[in-house]
Amino acid sequence: LTPSMSNLHRVLITGASSGIGAALAHELASRGAHLWLCARRGERLEALASELERRWPGAGRPRARVQALDVRDLAALRAFIEFADADSGGLDAIVANAGVGRAEHAARLEWAAIEEVLAVNVLGAFATLHTGLRCFLARGRGTLCGISSLASLGGYPTSGAYSASKAALAAFLETLRMDLAGSGIRVVDVQPDFVVSEMTQGPDAHPVARRRRMVASAEAARRIADALERGPAVCTFPWQESLPLRALRRGPRWLWRLVLGWAARWIKG
């Protein structure tokens, strides 16, 4: 899509300082969108805003406004979304992208790690979507988007909290989609496989991410932007991973455990 074809003029993205969030900011800016971005790392956000302004000048207004915040601070998160909606004259889309995850065997899993994953991936995402919903209901339009994962389809070995958090987000998005049918509000669930990012390349990354080709963040951003524009309610990619996993999900649960268990042993050995 060219910028003139885009209907996404004003978009808010959480977790925008790196990875999918930063790449999506670049992709949407290239299509003409003005952005409201938040993440924990303020210096990175400022650098991103400067880069966006340099590449795609905002024509009289900033290409991106940024706010350093942690989505676990729900009051600050909700306040920023409400500010952005008023400041923009009405957001067109809100993307709940902020997320954390780490691979750890259940026998070594600590409660603090579980709590962090649920606070960011569930409460932070739900608060983002709920606050956006209140804004959109007032005018009967808007797009709510959550970045879940193919891990939402079922339990992944060594990823109990992460898989559960993404399953919760996917179920919440599906419920919103049913409840809001005919309201003018679209709900998009993005379910990618491993995407190149700090989370998938760091010391806590899932072992699978180290053993196969991951989706480039720019490619993921293009697919997400297309889904926001005109795409399906559920956007999964790449097909080489999503098709077999979705087919496996429709089978008996013992088959899922058998195949994923075998994969975990292959990765370990």
Side-chain angles (χ1 to χ4, degrees):
L1 293 177
T2 63
S4 62
M5 295 171 61
S6 177
N7 56 21
L8 297 174
H9 305 295
R10 301 165 293 270
V11 183
L12 182 144
I13 307 170
T14 67
S17 63
S18 64
I20 292 175
L24 182 59
H26 277 278
E27 179 65 28
L28 292 175
S30 75
R31 301 184 186 208
H34 288 266
L35 305 167
W36 283 256
L37 311 174
C38 65
R40 289 178 298 170
R41 295 173 291 189
E43 290 184 0
R44 288 202 178 189
L45 281 177
E46 294 290 349
L48 174 60
S50 296
E51 174 67 9
L52 295 175
E53 191 66 38
R54 183 185 68 81
R55 296 186 65 183
W56 299 287
R61 62 181 304 180
R63 175 61 63 189
R65 295 184 185 273
V66 300
Q67 176 66 51
L69 63 83
D70 189 326
V71 297
R72 291 177 293 185
D73 185 344
L74 301 183
L77 173 63
R78 295 175 73 93
F80 176 66
I81 296 170
E82 290 168 354
F83 160 78
D85 193 60
D87 184 53
S88 66
L91 292 166
D92 296 310
I94 292 176
V95 183
N97 167 71
V100 296
R102 62 183 65 185
E104 191 65 84
H105 191 279
R108 296 183 296 275
L109 190 58
E110 297 183 357
W111 174 251
I114 298 174
E115 191 171 36
E116 180 188 20
V117 169
L118 296 181
V120 175
N121 296 4
V122 179
L123 293 182
F126 280 30
T128 299
L129 296 166
H130 179 262
T131 308
L133 173 60
R134 308 321 296 179
C135 297
F136 292 164
L137 283 172
R139 53 184 176 271
R141 65 171 180 83
T143 298
L144 295 169
C145 175
I147 309 299
S148 63
S149 169
L150 286 177
S152 68
L153 298 177
Y156 273 38
T158 74
S159 296
Y162 182 79
S163 295
S165 72
K166 294 303 185 179
L169 177 55
F172 187 56
L173 290 165
E174 185 174 37
T175 300
L176 290 177
R177 190 178 308 113
M178 291 187 290
D179 287 350
L180 297 171
S183 69
I185 300 172
R186 293 181 64 236
V187 180
V188 178
D189 179 5
V190 177
Q191 298 180 356
D193 193 43
F194 293 103
V195 174
V196 175
S197 69
E198 292 178 5
M199 187 171 73
T200 58
Q201 295 183 312
D204 295 323
H206 197 284
V208 171
R210 305 189 188 104
R211 298 288 293 267
R212 69 170 185 241
R213 178 183 176 275
M214 291 185 283
V215 179
S217 58
E219 172 64 13
R222 183 188 65 78
R223 290 177 179 269
I224 295 168
D226 286 347
L228 290 173
E229 287 277 5
R230 63 177 189 273
V234 180
C235 172
T236 64
F237 58 87
W239 67 265
Q240 295 93 330
E241 306 298 337
S242 64
L243 283 182
L245 282 174
R246 294 180 75 84
L248 188 61
R249 180 65 181 87
R250 295 187 182 96
R253 298 306 293 171
W254 64 262
L255 183 59
W256 176 279
R257 292 192 296 272
L258 178 68
V259 173
L260 271 291
W262 172 85
R265 290 191 294 274
W266 173 77
I267 292 163
K268 185 177 180 180

